Amino acid sequence: MKAIRDTNLLRTYLSRFGLDDTFSPASLNEMTLLRMEQGQVLWEKGDELDHLYFLVEGKIKIHTSSAEGKGLILRFKNPLAVIGDVEYVKGTEVFHTVEAVTDGYFLAIPFQQLKQEEHENRSFLHFLLDVITHKFYTEAHASTLNMLYDVDVRLASYLLSLTDDGKGSMFHEEMRTKTLKETAEVIGTSYRHLNRVLREFQNEGILDKQRGTIKIKDIDLLREKAEGNIYE
Amino acid sequence: MKAIRDTNLLRTYLSRFGLDDTFSPASLNEMTLLRMEQGQVLWEKGDELDHLYFLVEGKIKIHTSSAEGKGLILRFKNPLAVIGDVEYVKGTEVFHTVEAVTDGYFLAIPFQQLKQEEHENRSFLHFLLDVITHKFYTEAHASTLNMLYDVDVRLASYLLSLTDDGKGSMFHEEMRTKTLKETAEVIGTSYRHLNRVLREFQNEGILDKQRGTIKIKDIDLLREKAEGNIYE
DNA sequence: TCCATTTAAGGACATATGTCCTTTCTTCCC
DNA sequence: GGGAAGAAAGGACATATGTCCTTAAATGGA
């Protein structure tokens, strides 16, 4: 990634995400702005980090793959996402590959500065704790869902998580998955199988689809399929 | 669980695990000692917690199950294990069932007291951060392993994690899994299938087994099977 | 505009894994 | 010592899911 010298933009992001409340002025001063470009692989398994990064604009994809190339997308992330928190606390290498899905920006701050911050500033520790706890929580949910349920349940959950606004009411009945292949990776199955399950759903009257455009027809049936599970 | 009035024992545990360095005297004073009994279900999904618990003696099992009764053991834990950390930070309900595998003891401290501790004591926040980060880290490893690899690789990893002392040398070539059924649940498969894979391993000369007693014969072959993955 | 590339759709088949049973040993209790 | 209950072993079969292909429609440059 390339460093961008744009103090105004940097300040805008700091205040938009309340980072200027979390960090001391000294730390804010150490922040740099970086630009990522679509498709770029930002970090790979095994990399050593020495900065903590905040995604402030754009979208990234966290994924992993076995030696044999079998891939699995763990999640997509939008601002404000934090990268390097676990690595900072545990001093370990990067474990998952991070890729830019769109163009965007990161803020970066050196680990060294964070050490300082830890001592002077309780709210930073709290921030870190909240971020990592949240990661653990969602990871635990998702992995349980993946281990315990078949693809149809996971797909239903995934569709609900996009369709539902989380409060029980429903928003866009129609949505376009960018690519079905990507959807397959997110729920941890092959494209072929996803397609199969989608057709089943169509046959059961749960949804309509034509070349990748999926339209939910019966959200109650979908909820039934998901068996009360929702991604996230 | 039943509260035990045994100040000496309590103090022993506090110092054995260095908790008296982490907590303020006021908090130490609020600690209570509890006894668990083998087989007891200690917490279930949906329970509300108002204490943080430390397992100081004995062994527990963290597991979960779907509505249809399909079960999955996430992990076993020995002292010092912490229960309720995520629930404390996020204010959520218990997510996994916790069961006593043996008799043992917990220390408990009210969430309310922790609030206090947070303000007065930086090392407590750090303690919490370390514990949760570690949980995230191991959970991420295990779930990736589970999603990406087949049972044979997972079994090989699991056996290695018991056989290996982690530094490349090897300890007990012979080990007795308490029950194979339990082993199956830990690696997330059915007993039937575990049995199948064990027989394959035997045919390939990797191990010998007779009625549940497994003896590793060729640890290099086993390592090859595990493809570099180790549980934990 | 046309061709190359990507995405979608689904057939055919292979494989991993699960479910349900039956049998055989152990273990343990009365 | 004998029977009941649990643990191990594995046969038979069902099912979920993966791999490999082929075809058709969309999409993005040159």
Side-chain angles (χ1 to χ4, degrees), chain A residues 142-162:
Chain A
S143 98
T144 301
L145 191 58
N146 283 335
M147 290 288 292
L148 241 39
Y149 298 94
D150 290 341
V151 170
D152 55 343
V153 176
R154 308 212 294 272
L155 174 60
S157 300
Y158 174 72
L159 291 177
L160 276 178
S161 78
L162 297 182

Side-chain angles (χ1 to χ4, degrees), chain B residues 8-71:
Chain B
N8 280 335
L9 187 54
L10 197 154
R11 289 228 182 89
T12 308
Y13 287 132
L14 286 177
S15 85
R16 180 182 304 167
F17 297 107
L19 294 173
D20 42 10
D21 293 333
T22 306
F23 288 91
S24 69
S27 288
L28 293 175
N29 221 37
E30 292 287 320
M31 296 259 190
T32 49
L33 184 64
L34 301 168
R35 184 162 66 210
M36 69 176 185
E37 282 167 28
Q38 184 173 40
Q40 208 177 0
V41 172
L42 304 171
W43 298 280
E44 280 183 287
K45 180 171 178 144
D47 285 356
E48 290 278 350
L49 288 190
D50 52 4
H51 286 69
L52 187 70
Y53 298 89
F54 300 93
L55 176 69
V56 290
E57 188 89 51
K59 187 174 172 185
I60 56 178
K61 173 166 94 172
I62 319 280
H63 68 270
T64 185
S65 42
S66 65
E68 306 80 46
K70 200 171 164 186

